[in-house]
Amino acid sequence: MERSMSMRPPTIRDVADRAGVSKSLVSLVLRGSGQVRPDKREAVLRAVRELGYRPNAAARSLSEQRTRTVGVLLNDLRNPWFVEMLDGLNSLLHDNGLHMLLADSRLNRRSGQDPAGPFLDLRVDGLVVVGTLPDPAALAAVAERLPVVVAGAREPLLPGVDVVANDDEHGARLVTEHLVGLGHRRIAHVAGYGRVGELRRRAFEATLREHGLGDGIVVEPSDMTEEGGYRSTVRLLSRAERPTAVFAVNDIAAVGALSAAEESGLRVPRDLSVVGYDNTSIARLRHVWLTTVDNASHEVGRRAARCLLDRFAGSGTPGGVRLAAPTLEIRGSTAPLGLPG
Amino acid sequence: MERSMSMRPPTIRDVADRAGVSKSLVSLVLRGSGQVRPDKREAVLRAVRELGYRPNAAARSLSEQRTRTVGVLLNDLRNPWFVEMLDGLNSLLHDNGLHMLLADSRLNRRSGQDPAGPFLDLRVDGLVVVGTLPDPAALAAVAERLPVVVAGAREPLLPGVDVVANDDEHGARLVTEHLVGLGHRRIAHVAGYGRVGELRRRAFEATLREHGLGDGIVVEPSDMTEEGGYRSTVRLLSRAERPTAVFAVNDIAAVGALSAAEESGLRVPRDLSVVGYDNTSIARLRHVWLTTVDNASHEVGRRAARCLLDRFAGSGTPGGVRLAAPTLEIRGSTAPLGLPG
């Protein structure tokens, strides 16, 4: 942007000269090829930056069929669980000369648009879908036209589509073992929807059964929002056999559970332990300080970017699920059963 | 997306036939012209949706120099204050046949990219900058190339650039009057940066002076994050003359203030009143329930979209500041001074 408008714009020739490489190598780097030596790629990208070289994306997309842009479709901007994942995605995409643009599928749906529409119109090179879409099967048509990677969700499973996520079953198991280990016996689950919701719920139930706590498993469904978590927990706390611990399907529902506890006059964690999932910025607020599962978002983002780059380079596999290992973040919302207040 | 890949793709002719209008009127609507009757525009957009018509954006951008896409540059995705604004922006842009794509300037900066670069490469029709950028002056070069509107910030003031925001001085005045009205006399401010930070701080100070409370005005600077709000409030609460109320420059810093109060053994609002600014989803969490200023984000978004549409239609003004009126949302974090606990 520091270049004067009257100067001759730099050409690909200028970039090649400055980087000390051939024009075709510059072109390879700009197309995101994985076949260029890292030092050469770095030299080219440095020359691009220093000269302020800006390829004409519209003209290029007609000639080379590449825009060097990846579309990222988020399921709902209001739940900030995806922020770390974008960091991971962006770091690797940028290292490979690719831009990232975002869209919020909730906003597009509300106005009746096809969620991926703007990206298709602009001929992005690939699409990363972050989180569970209300209609995951609709991605099939998009996946026929360009590489699609699903990150942080477990569906749809489609030919040629990579799915990268954390291991939801392992994460739910870590939570349940933690609560059982603290002495809790009446542990309830505020469940979610979709494949992610199902995997977390099933692992929760299986772990309880392994500990001989299979009788009286209590699961309340929710829509995975704060309001939903609140309402489900209000129902749970009004039961005759009140649970002493609640495992919510995600952090935002867990924050709703905290409010329900507060309104019922219960102190967390003294009277009720609460656990979330995702390790969002909200869980890390000192005022919330929620025990939760870190879903390895940054790593999931990097792996999703790697899958996309492999597909661009033509070395993608038939598609499948790749899982990163989640870890438990123990904070202030869980405590041993019967701890003196 | 429900169309089979083997069918002939619909043409602009098909759209015109279905909508019962001429091809050139379809073209006008698709270019976002404000000169088409609303009923005709609606008929065209309905036909576009029903037929699944998808103009070739890359080819069109060469011929018509329009991509029907607006870039939205967010200052930091981690602070969710902008979500309502995007709703407002999107509703009006969509009604005019325009798509919206997002980028996070913090992510772009971290990887050394020019924040607006991806948008310029894809030849977006216009740019909306949401929030204060670290280097607002850098927008000058972009504004020479395409229409730019700043939303939810007060800078940069550049020729031809519209600035749409809430009235920060009025908002800070509402907060200060509220706290003075509750009987507070030692009111401290956790301040921010940039023009927005300055306007809120100045109005706070001016209001206190009008009430004869100009002596001993206490202001602690912050970086407008949760961590910053926490650290500033820790300093405020360790003063010999401890404040009884804290007005934080935004909600996320106010949440940091809540944590600092908790750690100091102070109950909010009994021992300390806390107010934020922005009315974010975090302030609305029952567990937080923060008194705050509603910054009319949805309205700001709609007005920003209107400014951009006016510029596309060639009827833009020389640029200037348009302010929406904020309102005070009184919740659970403020109470009269000396209220029995």
Side-chain angles (χ1 to χ4, degrees):
Chain A
M1 301 213 293
E2 68 278 9
R3 305 189 75 257
S4 145
M5 299 296 284
S6 61
M7 285 173 67
R8 178 180 69 82
T11 64
I12 194 166
R13 175 84 263 160
D14 299 328
V15 174
D17 288 348
R18 189 175 190 108
V21 302
S22 69
K23 260 170 60 179
S24 51
L25 193 123
V26 174
S27 176
L28 269 178
V29 170
L30 294 182
R31 275 184 275 145
S33 164
Q35 310 192 11
V36 179
R37 270 169 43 196
D39 59 326
K40 294 291 181 197
R41 171 184 302 125
E42 193 34 57
V44 169
L45 292 176
R46 193 166 50 237
V48 164
R49 276 198 304 275
E50 289 169 358
L51 292 172
Y53 175 68
R54 189 176 294 290
N56 180 333
R60 195 185 54 241
S61 73
L62 285 178
S63 59
E64 301 179 21
Q65 296 298 317
R66 293 294 301 263
T67 54
R68 291 195 305 133
T69 303
V70 170
V72 178
L73 188 61
L74 304 168
N75 64 346
D76 186 351
L77 268 174
R78 294 171 307 178
N79 179 349
W81 67 276
F82 54 79
V83 173
E84 294 281 320
M85 183 184 298
L86 292 185
D87 266 326
L89 258 176
N90 189 54
S91 63
L92 203 60
L93 293 178
H94 175 69
D95 287 350
N96 287 274
L98 293 161
H99 295 315
M100 184 171 94
L101 288 180
L102 317 175
D104 178 357
S105 70
R106 184 187 62 95
L107 281 181
N108 290 358
R109 270 197 310 282
R110 277 167 56 126
S111 51
Q113 298 174 70
D114 166 11
F119 292 135
L120 296 176
D121 281 350
L122 286 172
R123 315 256 150 170
V124 297
D125 296 341
L127 183 67
V128 180
V129 177
V130 175
T132 302
L133 296 183
D135 180 15
L139 285 177
V142 180
E144 285 177 15
R145 297 174 53 177
L146 78 177
V148 173
V149 174
V150 173
R154 301 293 285 268
E155 59 196 333
L157 299 176
L158 292 168
V161 171
D162 301 295
V163 172
V164 188
N166 93 116
D167 185 339
D168 295 284
E169 288 170 293
H170 185 58
R173 201 165 269 282
L174 289 174
V175 171
T176 316
E177 292 286 359
H178 170 60
L179 292 172
V180 170
L182 289 172
H184 293 280
R185 292 298 171 266
R186 292 201 304 276
I187 307 170
H189 181 47
V190 173
Y193 53 81
R195 185 81 183 127
V196 163
E198 186 189 346
L199 289 167
R200 294 182 188 172
R201 175 181 55 76
R202 282 197 186 168
F204 162 76
E205 294 173 348
T207 310
L208 283 187
R209 278 194 297 271
E210 284 162 24
H211 283 277
L213 300 169
D215 291 346
I217 287 177
V218 180
V219 174
E220 274 284 342
S222 86
D223 61 359
M224 299 176 87
T225 64
E226 192 236 348
E227 177 66 23
Y230 167 79
R231 276 188 272 115
S232 297
T233 308
V234 165
R235 283 194 294 273
L236 288 171
L237 297 180
S238 68
R239 296 171 68 94
E241 290 263 278
R242 182 169 70 68
T244 63
V246 171
F247 164 34
V249 65
N250 64 4
D251 284 353
I252 198 104
V255 172
L258 292 178
S259 305
E262 210 167 67
E263 276 193 23
S264 307
L266 300 174
R267 299 288 295 271
V268 172
R270 193 191 61 186
D271 309 317
L272 184 74
S273 284
V274 175
V275 187
Y277 205 113
D278 290 341
N279 197 18
T280 56
S281 53
I282 293 176
R284 292 191 294 262
L285 294 174
R286 281 186 194 74
H287 188 65
V288 176
W289 210 237
L290 185 71
T291 297
T292 185
V293 177
D294 187 306
N295 55 12
S297 265
H298 197 274
E299 174 65 15
V300 168
R302 283 189 69 88
R303 289 203 202 175
R306 172 52 55 206
C307 286
L308 207 56
L309 293 168
D310 285 350
R311 296 218 166 261
F312 291 160
S315 56
T317 58
V321 180
R322 290 133 208 259
L323 298 182
T327 52
L328 188 67
E329 281 286 331
I330 300 175
R331 297 206 179 94
S333 65
T334 48
L337 181 67
L339 186 79
Chain B
M1 301 212 296
E2 68 279 12
R3 304 189 75 259
S4 145
M5 299 295 285
S6 60
M7 283 173 67
R8 176 179 70 83
T11 64
I12 195 166
R13 175 83 263 161
D14 299 328
V15 174
D17 287 349
R18 189 175 190 107
V21 302
S22 69
K23 260 171 61 179
S24 51
L25 193 123
V26 174
S27 176
L28 268 179
V29 170
L30 294 181
R31 275 184 274 146
S33 165
Q35 311 192 11
V36 179
R37 269 170 44 196
D39 59 325
K40 294 292 182 196
R41 171 185 301 125
E42 193 34 56
V44 168
L45 293 177
R46 192 166 52 238
V48 164
R49 277 197 303 276
E50 288 169 0
L51 292 172
Y53 175 67
R54 189 175 296 290
N56 180 334
R60 195 184 54 240
S61 74
L62 285 179
S63 59
E64 301 178 22
Q65 297 296 316
R66 292 293 302 263
T67 54
R68 291 195 307 133
T69 303
V70 170
V72 178
L73 187 62
L74 304 167
N75 64 345
D76 186 351
L77 268 174
R78 294 171 305 178
N79 179 349
W81 67 276
F82 53 80
V83 173
E84 294 281 320
M85 183 183 299
L86 292 186
D87 265 327
L89 257 177
N90 189 54
S91 63
L92 204 59
L93 292 178
H94 175 68
D95 287 350
N96 287 274
L98 292 161
H99 295 315
M100 184 172 94
L101 288 180
L102 318 175
D104 178 356
S105 70
R106 184 187 63 95
L107 281 181
N108 290 358
R109 273 197 308 283
R110 277 167 56 126
S111 51
Q113 298 174 70
D114 166 10
F119 292 135
L120 296 176
D121 282 351
L122 285 173
R123 315 254 152 170
V124 296
D125 296 340
L127 183 68
V128 180
V129 177
V130 175
T132 301
L133 297 183
D135 181 16
L139 285 178
V142 181
E144 284 177 18
R145 297 173 54 176
L146 77 176
V148 173
V149 175
V150 173
R154 301 293 285 266
E155 58 196 335
L157 299 176
L158 292 168
V161 171
D162 301 295
V163 172
V164 188
N166 92 115
D167 185 338
D168 296 284
E169 290 170 292
H170 185 58
R173 202 167 269 283
L174 290 173
V175 172
T176 317
E177 293 286 358
H178 171 60
L179 292 172
V180 170
L182 290 171
H184 293 279
R185 293 298 172 266
R186 291 201 305 275
I187 307 171
H189 181 46
V190 172
Y193 54 81
R195 185 81 183 127
V196 163
E198 186 189 346
L199 289 168
R200 293 182 187 172
R201 176 181 55 75
R202 282 197 186 168
F204 162 76
E205 294 173 348
T207 311
L208 283 186
R209 277 195 297 270
E210 284 160 25
H211 284 277
L213 300 169
D215 291 345
I217 287 177
V218 179
V219 174
E220 273 284 342
S222 85
D223 61 358
M224 298 175 87
T225 65
E226 193 237 346
E227 176 67 23
Y230 167 79
R231 276 189 270 115
S232 298
T233 308
V234 165
R235 283 194 294 274
L236 288 171
L237 297 180
S238 68
R239 296 171 67 95
E241 290 264 278
R242 182 168 69 69
T244 62
V246 171
F247 164 34
V249 64
N250 65 3
D251 284 353
I252 198 103
V255 172
L258 292 178
S259 305
E262 210 167 66
E263 277 194 20
S264 308
L266 300 174
R267 298 289 295 270
V268 173
R270 193 190 61 186
D271 309 317
L272 183 74
S273 284
V274 174
V275 187
Y277 205 114
D278 289 341
N279 198 18
T280 56
S281 53
I282 292 176
R284 291 191 293 262
L285 295 174
R286 281 187 193 73
H287 188 66
V288 176
W289 211 236
L290 185 71
T291 296
T292 185
V293 177
D294 187 305
N295 55 13
S297 265
H298 197 274
E299 174 64 17
V300 168
R302 283 189 69 87
R303 288 203 202 177
R306 173 51 55 207
C307 286
L308 207 55
L309 293 167
D310 286 348
R311 296 218 166 261
F312 291 160
S315 56
T317 58
V321 180
R322 289 134 208 259
L323 298 182
T327 51
L328 188 66
E329 280 286 331
I330 299 175
R331 296 205 179 95
S333 65
T334 49
L337 181 67
L339 186 79

